[in-house]
């Protein structure tokens, strides 16, 4: 091989040869049952720039699926006529030689492209990738928590060519979910929108109803799965009215929100035994808070939801979309008990039964539709939103026994009231919430949340029991964040000044350093003032926001109604040296959880009542 580009034509020709064989095999067969559904082929040009590509990347060999069977459920048509990631099944990244450094570089480049596939293809659950290094091919599978690679496939050897043919033929015949696509999300060319199936649960027992699914339609994706790994959360604005044209799925026609994500659960756990079941939490919240008009519309009202399922290929029932269905036969090896590998020839290759998390694909439909805080422009409106949200948080904690555990700038939304002169807060995302009424619920839980807004107790690994006070501490961090960085780019400080902000230590340092920084920041009024003095001074009513945040800190960490043993963030000791007694203010405050939560909520409500005569603009 003289140049890397010389590899492109050879590999393209090989794929074309296999595709022709697949097409010939389909002739005379009942293609909808027995035959291949598609061919896997390279785009006609090589080394191509793809529409939407970051940093002008050029893809060596762009690979797409081409339908043979008109009944094939796979629809990869891009909304644009341009060559884009929306059409891509996979990509072949080529390097001239099979040296280790070349193999590693090819894999790194592949990772960049695969991330773009998740963004462009709203029905993509996992992705395949291929590297071609000299005469060696490697096939990769990228999932929520894994990147698996095949053994080296030598194209100069008969066995190697046979193995690659098996991959190409498998992809041609298999069900769409084996390709990495979600069969319950389909592109409808007519009205130019996505059709999404959502599980419907019985209102009596929480089991799947006989209807099984409800259909919703969208062309508005608010949150994209823009990371290669993780939950791959997507959020859609949807309507339940069957569209006839593209106008029917525009923003102003949508009434609901769909949240689609891959959530960690215990392996082989049924829906009703899942301790962190957002859908079950939302159903309970809806039932327990019914009639509480003071928080109506401040939490998501569930319409439908459950684990995503699809029909088995043999027609015998349905299967949950989970890590097990994604990985197929590989799953049993990754999750097999460690001792089952003790008799292998290479006994050092033992596997942890929890090498990767086990996830279930879940989808939930809720209303109302909220907007991110970046669309606000007034601190007083922000306080109104936070007051609504934390009043709702209080109701959910004490009336529904559910603790949210992830208050952050992303999980507090708002929407305008009917006359558009006022705003209402909306608390979302109960993925990390726990039901404290369930005996099996652990009050000492793993770290959860968004780093800059995590409580000290959370950062410490939940040394003390989790309480609503952890979420209230997160509220202080959210308000400090907005006070420092603003709502959006229109009111943001000069990026050159970011290095001077004390608040940067909440997310740049190690967990241990962040914990110590926050303990120091909140321990005294003087230390805390160093943070608030760096707030954006050209914000309207910024002084009022500073006063409120100081009042909240005082109500939690220096509450005058409680003794000194409840104050501060640092443990104290009393008594003689040999018999010292540790006084832990965090543990002491836990015993006053409800009292302190009421006090904090009162601070918000009294502040807003006092300032309500000011024009909120």
């Amino acid at each position: 091989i003289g140049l890397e580009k010389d590899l492109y034509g050879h590999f393209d020709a090989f794929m074309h040869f296999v595709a022709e064989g697949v097409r010939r095999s389909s002739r005379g067969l009942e293609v909808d049952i027995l035959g291949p559904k598609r061919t896997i082929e390279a785009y006609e040009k090589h080394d191509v720039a793809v529409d939407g590509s970051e940093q002008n990347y050029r893809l060596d060999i762009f690979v797409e699926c081409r339908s043979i069977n008109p009944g094939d459920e796979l629809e990869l048509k891009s909304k644009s006529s341009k060559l884009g990631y929306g059409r891509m099944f996979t990509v072949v990244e080529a390097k001239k030689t099979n040296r280790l450094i070349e193999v590693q570089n090819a894999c790194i480049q592949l990772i960049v492209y695969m991330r773009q596939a998740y963004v462009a293809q709203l029905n993509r659950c996992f992705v395949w990738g291929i590297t071609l290094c000299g005469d060696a091919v490697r096939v990769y599978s990228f999932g929520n928590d894994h990147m698996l690679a095949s053994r080296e496939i030598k194209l100069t050897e008969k066995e190697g060519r046979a193995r690659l043919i098996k991959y190409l033929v498998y992809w041609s015949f298999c069900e769409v979910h084996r390709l990495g696509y979600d069969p319950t999300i389909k592109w409808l060319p007519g009205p130019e929108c996505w059709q999404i199936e959502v599980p419907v649960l019985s209102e009596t027992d929480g089991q799947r109803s006989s209807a099984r699914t409800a259909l919703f339609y969208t062309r508005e994706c608010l949150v994209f799965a823009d990371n290669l790994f993780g939950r791959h959360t997507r959020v859609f604005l949807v309507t339940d009215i069957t569209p006839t044209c593209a106008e029917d799925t525009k923003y102003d026609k949508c009434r609901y929100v769909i949240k689609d994500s891959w959530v960690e659960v215990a392996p082989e756990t049924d829906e009703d035994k899942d301790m962190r079941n957002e859908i079950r939490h939302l159903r309970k919240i809806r039932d327990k808070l019914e009639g509480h008009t003071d928080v109506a519309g401040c939490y998501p009202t569930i319409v439908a939801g459950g684990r995503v399922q699809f029909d088995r290929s043999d027609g015998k029932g349905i299967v949950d979309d989970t890590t097990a269905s994604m990985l197929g036969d590989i799953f049993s090896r990754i999750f097999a008990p460690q001792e089952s590998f003790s008799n292998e020839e290479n006994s050092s290759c033992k596997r942890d039964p929890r090498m990767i998390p086990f996830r279930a694909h879940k989808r939930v439909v809720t209303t109302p539709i909220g907007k991110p805080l970046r669309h606000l422009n007034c601190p007083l409106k922000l306080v109104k939103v936070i007051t609504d949200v934390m009043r709702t948080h209080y109701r959910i904690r004490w009336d529904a026994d559910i603790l949210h555990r992830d208050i952050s700038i992303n999980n507090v939304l708002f929407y305008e009231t009917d006359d558009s002169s006022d705003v209402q807060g909306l608390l979302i995302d109960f993925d990390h919430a726990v039901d404290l009424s369930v005996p099996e619920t652990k009050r000492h839980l793993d770290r959860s949340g968004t780093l800059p807004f995590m409580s000290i107790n959370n950062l410490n690994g939940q040394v003390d029991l989790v309480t609503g006070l952890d979420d209230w501490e997160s509220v202080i961090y959210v308000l400090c964040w907005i006070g420092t960085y603003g709502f959006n780019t229109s009111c943001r400080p000069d990026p050159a000044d970011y290095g001077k902000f004390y608040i940067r230590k909440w997310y740049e340092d190690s967990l241990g350093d962040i914990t110590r920084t926050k303990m120091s920041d909140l321990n005294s009024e003087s230390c805390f003032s160093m943070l608030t003095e760096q707030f954006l001074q050209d914000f309207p009513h910024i002084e009022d926001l500073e006063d409120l945040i100081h009042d909240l800190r005082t109500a939690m960490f220096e509450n005058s109604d409680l003794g000194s043993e409840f104050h501060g963030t640092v443990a104290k000791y009393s008594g003689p040296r040999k018999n010292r007694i540790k006084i832990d203010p965090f543990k002491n405050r836990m015993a006053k959880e409800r009292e302190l939560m009421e006090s904090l909520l009162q601070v918000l409500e009294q502040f807003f009542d006092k300032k309500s005569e000011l024009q909120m603009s």
Side-chain angles (χ1 to χ4, degrees):
I1 300 296
L3 298 171
E4 177 186 301
K5 292 184 177 182
D6 294 336
L7 293 170
Y8 303 163
H10 296 299
F11 195 81
D12 186 342
F14 186 90
M15 293 184 68
H16 181 74
F17 167 78
V18 176
E20 279 297 313
V22 169
R23 271 190 288 270
R24 285 195 300 272
S25 73
S26 68
R27 295 167 187 163
L29 294 176
E30 295 184 64
V31 293
D32 58 329
I33 299 174
L34 302 174
K37 300 174 175 63
R38 65 198 73 86
T39 57
I40 309 300
E41 300 190 51
Y43 182 64
E44 58 191 20
K45 296 180 180 179
H46 306 142
D47 189 28
V48 291
V50 177
D51 186 41
S53 178
E54 292 183 341
Q55 301 179 22
N56 297 318
Y57 287 127
R58 302 183 68 87
L59 277 60
D60 293 343
I61 304 177
F62 183 99
V63 181
E64 54 188 337
C65 297
R66 296 178 184 172
S67 179
I68 294 176
N69 179 3
D72 186 10
E73 295 180 346
L74 182 61
E75 175 57 69
L76 287 179
K77 184 177 180 181
S78 173
K79 297 179 185 179
S80 170
S81 59
K82 298 178 181 178
L83 183 69
Y85 285 103
R87 287 173 51 182
M88 184 184 80
F89 166 59
T90 187
V91 63
V92 180
E93 176 64 19
K95 298 295 179 185
K96 181 179 176 181
T97 71
N98 194 32
R99 292 184 301 135
L100 178 60
I101 186 64
E102 296 274 59
V103 173
Q104 292 174 337
N105 288 338
C107 182
I108 291 171
Q109 198 62 51
L110 201 61
I111 288 173
V112 175
Y113 303 145
M114 295 303 102
R115 174 178 166 271
Q116 291 301 310
Y118 283 117
V119 175
Q121 299 176 19
L122 303 183
N123 59 342
R124 202 70 189 254
C125 293
F126 69 93
V127 290
W128 296 91
I130 301 173
T131 60
L132 171 62
C133 299
D135 65 343
V137 170
R138 293 168 181 84
V139 178
Y140 295 82
S141 170
F142 298 89
N144 303 90
D145 304 282
H146 71 265
M147 182 184 76
L148 303 176
S150 71
R151 290 179 289 118
E152 184 179 86
I153 300 172
K154 284 284 190 178
L155 295 183
T156 52
E157 299 173 0
K158 180 180 178 181
E159 290 183 359
R161 293 191 294 275
R163 284 179 57 205
L164 182 56
I165 290 173
K166 284 183 178 179
Y167 276 106
L168 297 172
V169 171
Y170 171 76
W171 290 330
S172 300
F173 280 77
C174 70
E175 306 95 324
V176 293
H177 76 270
R178 299 294 185 191
L179 294 174
Y181 296 98
D182 185 344
T184 66
I185 300 182
K186 301 175 184 177
W187 175 252
L188 305 181
E192 295 185 348
C193 69
W194 293 95
Q195 174 187 283
I196 304 177
E197 296 180 29
V198 179
V200 177
L201 302 182
S202 166
E203 290 298 315
T204 56
D205 59 7
Q207 299 300 310
R208 189 177 297 276
S209 73
S210 56
R212 197 162 79 87
T213 58
L215 297 180
F216 294 84
Y217 305 90
T218 182
R219 59 196 313 245
E220 298 281 349
C221 186
L222 298 180
V223 177
F224 293 86
D226 57 358
N227 290 315
L228 185 61
F229 302 113
R231 291 193 294 176
H232 291 163
T233 299
R234 296 182 176 97
V235 178
F236 306 94
L237 288 184
V238 300
T239 176
D240 58 347
I241 300 173
T242 304
T244 57
C245 62
E247 294 291 320
D248 293 341
T249 51
K250 283 193 171 181
Y251 181 92
D252 59 347
K253 301 293 181 67
C254 295
R255 300 169 51 205
Y256 306 107
V257 174
I258 285 183
K259 177 182 175 183
D260 182 281
S261 60
W262 287 77
V263 183
E264 284 191 49
V265 298
E268 301 178 5
T269 298
D270 294 330
E271 180 98 20
D272 59 339
K273 296 179 181 179
D274 184 359
M275 303 314 310
R276 294 188 186 177
N277 189 331
E278 180 181 29
I279 295 166
R280 185 174 63 188
H281 294 336
L282 291 177
R283 289 166 60 88
K284 183 178 182 181
I285 290 168
R286 180 195 60 192
D287 296 341
K288 293 293 184 180
L289 269 59
E290 185 178 10
H292 288 286
T293 56
D294 59 331
V295 295
C298 294
Y299 56 88
T301 300
I302 185 169
V303 176
R307 288 193 183 186
V308 175
Q309 296 181 324
F310 47 82
D311 295 324
R312 291 171 56 99
S313 57
D314 56 10
K316 298 178 180 179
I318 54 179
V319 62
D320 282 355
D321 198 10
T322 65
T323 304
S325 63
M326 178 189 294
L327 292 174
D329 294 339
I330 300 175
F331 170 80
S332 60
R333 293 185 62 81
I334 292 180
F335 278 84
Q338 192 174 27
E339 56 268 19
S340 66
F341 293 92
S342 58
N343 294 326
E344 290 187 356
E345 292 182 12
N346 183 6
S347 59
S348 64
C349 187
K350 296 182 179 179
R351 294 165 174 82
D352 187 327
R354 289 284 298 176
M355 283 178 68
I356 62 174
F358 186 88
R359 295 181 184 268
H361 188 186
K362 295 189 178 185
R363 191 171 292 153
V364 60
V365 184
T366 61
T367 185
I369 298 172
K371 296 180 180 180
L373 293 180
R374 66 175 179 271
H375 292 286
L376 285 173
N377 57 7
C378 172
L380 290 184
K381 286 188 177 182
L382 170 65
V383 174
K384 170 63 166 61
V385 169
I386 295 293
T387 302
D388 289 341
V389 162
M390 295 316 292
R391 185 186 299 116
T392 305
H393 178 275
Y394 178 87
R395 288 287 190 195
I396 292 172
R397 167 63 183 92
W398 298 108
D399 292 356
D401 255 341
I402 290 174
L403 194 58
H404 188 276
R405 298 181 64 243
D406 190 16
I407 300 294
S408 73
I409 200 168
N410 297 317
N411 294 337
V412 175
L413 305 181
F414 78 97
Y415 58 94
E416 287 93 359
T417 54
D418 291 338
D419 61 3
S420 299
S421 63
D422 198 3
V423 293
Q424 186 155 331
L426 177 64
L427 178 61
I428 66 164
D429 196 351
F430 288 78
D431 269 344
H432 293 292
V434 290
D435 188 341
L436 300 179
S437 67
V438 178
E440 295 86 356
T441 298
K442 295 180 180 180
R443 294 292 296 272
H444 291 278
L445 298 163
D446 297 333
R447 294 185 182 95
S448 66
T450 309
L451 188 58
F453 314 112
M454 289 169 64
S455 70
I456 294 169
N457 182 35
N458 197 350
L459 289 165
N460 270 327
Q462 311 291 5
V463 173
D464 295 313
L465 300 181
V466 293
T467 69
L469 298 178
D470 290 294
D471 286 340
W472 271 100
E473 186 180 326
S474 295
V475 170
I476 295 175
Y477 300 141
V478 168
L479 293 174
C480 287
W481 185 274
I482 295 175
T484 303
Y485 292 116
F487 290 109
N488 48 53
T489 54
S490 66
C491 57
R492 195 153 289 171
D494 186 341
D497 294 332
Y498 284 9
K500 303 175 185 177
F501 294 152
Y502 297 117
I503 199 175
R504 77 184 191 282
K505 296 182 179 180
W506 292 358
Y507 57 91
E508 287 185 353
D509 292 344
S510 65
L511 287 180
D513 288 339
I514 293 173
T515 305
R516 287 184 285 272
T517 296
K518 287 187 172 182
M519 290 179 70
S520 174
D521 290 341
L522 295 174
N523 191 53
S524 68
E525 182 72 14
S526 59
C527 289
F528 194 64
S529 295
M530 295 174 67
L531 285 173
T532 58
E533 286 171 359
Q534 295 183 326
F535 281 7
L536 287 165
Q537 294 307 309
D538 54 352
F539 247 26
H541 310 298
I542 191 64
E543 299 86 358
D544 296 321
L545 183 62
E546 287 184 43
D547 291 341
L548 172 63
I549 297 173
H550 278 274
D551 290 345
L552 289 172
R553 192 208 70 84
T554 300
M556 177 177 285
F557 295 101
E558 293 182 7
N559 196 301
S560 59
D561 293 333
L562 301 175
S564 60
E565 66 273 20
F566 295 89
H567 294 178
T569 61
V570 181
K572 309 172 186 69
Y573 295 88
S574 67
R577 184 172 61 84
K578 292 184 178 181
N579 298 300
R580 289 192 307 170
I581 299 174
K582 182 179 180 180
I583 301 173
D584 184 346
F586 284 98
K587 188 165 291 185
N588 291 338
R589 284 193 292 268
M590 283 166 32
K592 299 288 185 179
E593 177 187 6
R594 186 162 190 167
E595 181 180 333
L596 282 168
M597 287 179 67
E598 290 173 351
S599 177
L600 288 158
L601 184 57
Q602 188 177 42
V603 169
L604 280 176
E605 292 177 334
Q606 288 180 348
F607 174 89
F608 188 75
D609 289 342
K610 181 180 177 182
K611 302 295 181 181
S612 60
E613 69 276 7
L614 296 174
Q615 183 178 6
M616 296 178 59
S617 61

